[in-house]
Amino acid sequence: MKALIVYYSMYSNTEKIANVFAKKINADLINLKESNEIKIDNYDLIGFGSGVYRESLSSKLLNCVEKLDLKGKNVFVFSTSGIGARFYNNKLLKILRSKGAICKGSFACKGYYTTTEIKKNMIFELFRKLSEGHPDEKDIQKAEKFIDNMIKSI
C-alpha cells in the first residue's frame, strides 16, 4: 500500500504526529507550508492533518482538499489543538465525504501553542497551560495505535 500524508503545521505539533504516521506506514509527506503541488493518483491512502487555528483547521489544507479528486480514495484526518478534540476534524471529514472519499478514521490530540492575542481570554490561557509539553509520549502512543488499527481496517 502506498500512502501520503498532507499536513499544515504552524507550531510543529501536527508535523510531529504526521511524522509518527509516516514512519509507521512508510508514507510520503507533504508539508503545505513548503509545497502546494499535490499528486494523489498513485496513493492508496491519504492522511490530511492540521493544527487548529481560531477554532478551525488550516484554510490552506481545506482549500487544498477542495481542489483534489478524491473519489474512491481511502483517507483519514488528524489534528492537534489546545484541547485535543476530534470535533475540529468534522468540517474536513464532511468535505472529504462530499468528494467521494472513503473516510477511514479521525485522530486528534493536544498540541502546545503560544500566542499573545488569546492571553486576554482566561479559558484559552488555561487550555494553553494544560497543553504544555504536548504532543507527549502518550499522544505519540495513541497516534501509533490509531494508525495501526486503521491500517488493519483497509
Side-chain angles (χ1 to χ4, degrees):
M1 176 178 59
K2 192 154 168 71
L4 172 67
I5 297 175
V6 179
Y7 68 96
Y8 182 87
S9 183
M10 184 178 294
Y11 299 109
S12 77
N13 301 313
T14 307
E15 183 170 47
K16 186 183 274 189
I17 299 301
N19 283 317
V20 168
F21 291 153
K23 184 177 179 183
K24 278 296 250 184
I25 61 174
N26 195 28
D28 294 332
L29 285 167
I30 295 178
N31 181 346
L32 290 174
K33 282 175 76 173
E34 299 166 1
S35 175
N36 289 325
E37 189 174 328
I38 299 172
K39 295 180 181 174
I40 61 169
D41 294 340
N42 297 325
Y43 293 99
D44 306 304
L45 175 66
I46 306 167
F48 295 99
S50 174
V52 174
Y53 312 103
R54 297 179 187 245
E55 303 301 306
S56 180
L57 299 183
S58 163
S59 60
K60 194 161 186 173
L61 179 66
L62 296 174
N63 292 335
C64 167
V65 168
E66 287 285 358
K67 297 173 187 173
L68 296 173
D69 178 8
L70 295 163
K71 188 170 178 77
K73 290 287 187 182
N74 291 311
V75 299
F76 68 95
V77 174
F78 63 101
S79 65
T80 59
S81 66
I83 61 173
R86 271 198 331 234
F87 66 79
Y88 289 119
N89 298 350
N90 291 343
K91 181 177 181 179
L92 180 53
L93 287 166
K94 185 177 179 180
I95 293 168
L96 290 165
R97 287 185 184 111
S98 75
K99 297 182 73 58
I102 303 163
C103 297
K104 301 306 265 181
S106 176
F107 176 83
C109 70
K110 286 184 183 180
Y112 182 66
Y113 62 95
T114 58
T115 184
T116 56
E117 63 191 53
I118 63 169
K119 288 193 178 198
K120 297 173 189 166
N121 187 324
M122 291 304 291
I123 191 74
F124 286 115
E125 179 62 13
L126 174 64
F127 289 142
R128 185 191 67 76
K129 287 185 183 282
L130 292 173
S131 71
E132 285 181 6
H134 288 272
D136 62 11
E137 192 55 42
K138 283 185 181 180
D139 297 318
I140 300 297
Q141 290 171 359
K142 288 177 185 175
E144 290 173 336
K145 185 175 180 180
F146 165 81
I147 201 75
D148 286 341
N149 288 336
M150 193 195 54
I151 292 300
K152 290 175 188 173
S153 74
I154 295 177

